[in-house]
Amino acid sequence: MTRVAVIGAGSIGANIAYRLAARGAEVTVVDAGKPGNGTSAASISWLSTFPQIAGSVPAMVAHRRRTNDGFRRLAGEIGDGWIHWTGTLTWADLPRTAARLRQDFAAMTAMGEPLRELDAGAVRAAEPGLDPPPDTPVYLEEDGGWVDAPAMVAALLRGAGWHGATVLQDAPVLAVKADGDRHVVRTPEGEVTADVVVNAAGSWASHVGALAGAPVPLDLRPGLVVWSRPLATPIGRVINSTTLNIRPDPDGGVAVHWRGEDTYTAHGYNAETPAQVIEAAAEVIPELRGTAPARSAVGVRPVPPGGPVVGWHPSRPGLYVAVSHGGIGWGPTWGDLAAAAILDGDTSPAAEAFTPRRFLR
Ligand SMILES: Cc1cc2nc3c(=O)[nH]c(=O)nc-3n(C[C@H](O)[C@H](O)[C@H](O)COP(=O)(O)OP(=O)(O)OC[C@H]3O[C@@H](n4cnc5c(N)ncnc54)[C@H](O)[C@@H]3O)c2cc1C
């Protein structure tokens, strides 16, 4: 039986741990803190590609279908209390993004994607608490929604436990040593000996990579998420404009990320205050006007230059790396890919597409 130590119990590490354990590996998950408490806890965790992902429309459509199929299968295996198939309402609130959105809508609709343009009356009927800008096309994406990521991580680790996995929490990895063909992962809670080590430490993956002698270059891009107090007229769907990401929260409020005029790719953290974020969201959810934020958190996005890094590390045999932005939506896909590589020796083009060898020599 292959013994695997998974370092990091966020969305990505928990998905990989679950899939490996379900497929028969002997898995130990090691996290520096509480599972699910890293960037995965400070995320909008929205499941959609319209119109978030740059690239060709067929690539967006393929990604969306694979993502949602992966989540449906996972929910069938571990239970579904953590996933909310609410759909998304999208509009462009900057003139420079409107034409691209309209084009993507037309192309994706032509491919049979579940997208519809709603008139103002239909928007009001669907979301009475929402007041989008006038004379702006609003698109409803019926599939997708959002994930309660900490709850998903808990469900994945519970599921991994059914298959014999163990979890060490509050156990920061201090060293990853070689012992012949094996690896020894050292933590204050003890040592884990494994045939394969997975570095799924998210924004800390460069640090864990350094401990293992296997570098992982990363850009770190912080983003502020602000939670409102519960609303009398709750918002049911994910709301996505060019400048705002809003999703419902289980307590009846909303979680808001405000991008301002800069997307994360252009700029990163805009130094806005939680009160300013609520004010920006109040432009489209009037009930928020004048209300105080309930809480906020800065999540640090791990963004490998050149795209996701998922595959065997070229510097150290037996060391697998899985780090990407969009790590909630990609989670089940990375779980499948890692299990195929580690347990089946998969070297197909799909398995190789995100290999660290692309830029690590
Ligand atoms: C504002 C914002 C909005 C976002 N919106 C979306 C979205 O809508 N959809 C989407 O898919 N993604 C979104 N993301 C990105 C997504 O949240 C991340 O890609 C994802 O959470 C990364 O998951 P992860 O498992 O790699 O990292 P994490 O969740 O950070 O997990 C890494 C784990 O590694 C552990 N760790 C660190 N160091 C060590 C060590 N030395 N030893 C042991 N363990 C260690 C940490 O404790 C942590 O639990 C957003 C991010 C932000 C900030």
Side-chain angles (χ1 to χ4, degrees):
M1 190 186 271
T2 309
R3 291 167 305 172
V4 186
V6 178
I7 301 175
S11 165
I12 293 179
N15 268 287
I16 291 175
Y18 169 73
R19 190 52 64 199
L20 283 166
R23 294 203 42 206
E26 185 182 318
V27 175
T28 306
V29 183
V30 182
D31 198 281
K34 304 278 179 267
N37 233 3
T39 304
S40 299
S43 174
I44 291 295
S45 32
W46 171 46
L47 303 183
S48 175
T49 50
F50 176 69
Q52 185 78 347
I53 295 207
S56 72
V57 164
M60 286 197 282
V61 169
H63 174 65
R64 192 195 65 72
R65 289 180 184 167
R66 184 176 48 212
T67 300
N68 290 346
D69 288 351
F71 277 104
R72 285 195 183 89
R73 181 164 60 101
L74 196 57
E77 293 172 19
I78 63 171
D80 64 358
W82 45 271
I83 190 154
H84 303 271
W85 296 104
T86 59
T88 300
L89 288 172
T90 296
W91 65 83
D93 51 12
L94 296 179
R96 65 182 158 83
T97 55
R100 166 73 196 265
L101 187 61
R102 198 182 296 275
Q103 269 169 21
D104 285 353
F105 170 73
M108 291 175 85
T109 310
M111 290 181 71
E113 287 297 280
L115 294 168
R116 280 193 290 138
E117 184 172 340
L118 301 187
D119 62 26
V123 173
R124 253 194 316 280
E127 292 289 354
L130 191 68
D131 187 18
D135 305 322
T136 303
V138 175
Y139 304 103
L140 170 65
E141 180 181 6
E142 287 173 296
D143 205 2
W146 64 279
V147 163
D148 181 341
M152 174 183 71
V153 167
L156 283 163
L157 295 182
R158 200 165 43 244
W162 298 334
H163 298 285
T166 52
V167 180
L168 294 181
Q169 61 177 36
D170 299 319
V173 169
L174 304 173
V176 184
K177 299 287 179 207
D179 176 13
D181 284 350
R182 301 173 310 171
H183 309 271
V184 179
V185 176
R186 192 169 299 150
T187 83
E189 300 301 306
E191 291 187 346
V192 180
T193 300
D195 306 304
V196 171
V197 172
V198 178
N199 178 356
S203 298
W204 300 269
S206 299
H207 169 62
V208 169
L211 295 176
V216 180
L218 272 187
D219 289 341
L220 299 180
R221 300 199 179 147
L224 178 68
V225 178
V226 182
W227 282 262
S228 79
R229 294 171 193 282
L231 295 163
T233 308
I235 298 296
R237 292 167 181 76
V238 178
I239 308 299
N240 172 53
S241 75
T242 318
T243 60
L244 279 166
N245 282 155
I246 302 175
R247 68 154 164 84
D249 204 52
D251 72 355
V254 285
V256 185
H257 175 59
W258 182 37
R259 292 192 291 246
E261 296 232 348
D262 297 307
T263 65
Y264 75 89
T265 43
H267 192 212
Y269 188 38
N270 295 323
E272 63 276 18
T273 65
Q276 285 170 324
V277 172
I278 291 292
E279 217 173 284
E283 293 291 317
V284 297
I285 304 176
E287 193 187 330
L288 288 174
R289 203 154 286 139
T291 65
R295 68 186 173 97
S296 65
V298 174
V300 180
R301 303 174 181 94
V303 185
V309 172
V310 182
W312 295 109
H313 198 288
S315 303
R316 181 162 174 176
L319 197 288
Y320 193 90
V321 184
V323 188
S324 76
H325 181 49
I328 309 295
W330 281 105
T333 304
W334 299 150
D336 288 339
L337 216 61
I342 293 168
L343 301 179
D344 308 331
D346 185 8
T347 53
S348 68
E352 294 287 301
F354 304 101
T355 171
R357 277 198 310 280
R358 297 195 322 271
F359 53 88
L360 298 172
R361 299 280 163 205

